[in-house]
């Protein structure tokens, strides 16, 4: 694994996932992972798309938003893969 890129930690029995983002975006990726995990852990009526749309507004436009979304969506991907296995 390349140390120059940020990985999403392993979760739900799925391995870590490498992102195409460098370490300067690690905080944004981690925020995305944490936001997705909070949504997964909180049963409720808030749709996934709404959570992502609202949370991404807290990030500066451009690469920071993209990195946040990568963390968010990769964490959701891990959960989906664990359910389908």
């Amino acid at each position: 694994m390349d140390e120059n890129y940020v990985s999403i930690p392993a979760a739900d029995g799925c391995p870590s996932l490498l992102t195409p983002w460098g370490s300067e975006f690690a905080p944004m990726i981690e925020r995305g992972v944490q936001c997705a995990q909070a949504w997964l852990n909180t049963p409720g009526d808030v749709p996934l798309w709404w959570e992502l749309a609202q949370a991404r507004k807290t990030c500066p436009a451009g690469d920071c938003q993209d990195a946040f979304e990568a963390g968010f969506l990769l964490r959701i991907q891990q959960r989906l893969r664990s359910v389908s296995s």
Side-chain angles (χ1 to χ4, degrees), residues 41-75:
N41 291 343
T42 307
D45 296 329
V46 177
L48 179 61
W49 70 267
W50 181 259
E51 186 68 33
L52 175 58
Q54 296 308 303
R56 76 185 293 273
K57 291 177 183 179
T58 66
C59 304
D63 288 343
C64 288
Q65 278 185 351
D66 293 344
F68 173 86
E69 291 170 354
F72 188 98
L73 293 172
L74 285 170
R75 179 59 195 97

Side-chain angles (χ1 to χ4, degrees), residues 9-83:
D12 294 331
C14 292
S16 64
L17 299 172
L18 187 63
T19 74
W21 298 96
S23 59
E24 67 272 21
F25 293 101
M28 300 309 297
I29 292 168
E30 181 60 28
R31 280 183 56 197
V33 170
Q34 290 172 351
C35 184
Q37 189 63 53
W39 184 86
L40 290 166
N41 291 343
T42 307
D45 296 329
V46 177
L48 179 61
W49 70 267
W50 181 259
E51 186 68 33
L52 175 58
Q54 296 308 303
R56 76 185 293 273
K57 291 177 183 179
T58 66
C59 304
D63 288 343
C64 288
Q65 278 185 351
D66 293 344
F68 173 86
E69 291 170 354
F72 188 98
L73 293 172
L74 285 170
R75 179 59 195 97
I76 298 296
Q77 179 179 320
Q78 286 173 316
R79 175 63 62 91
L80 291 172
R81 286 189 174 166
S82 74
V83 173

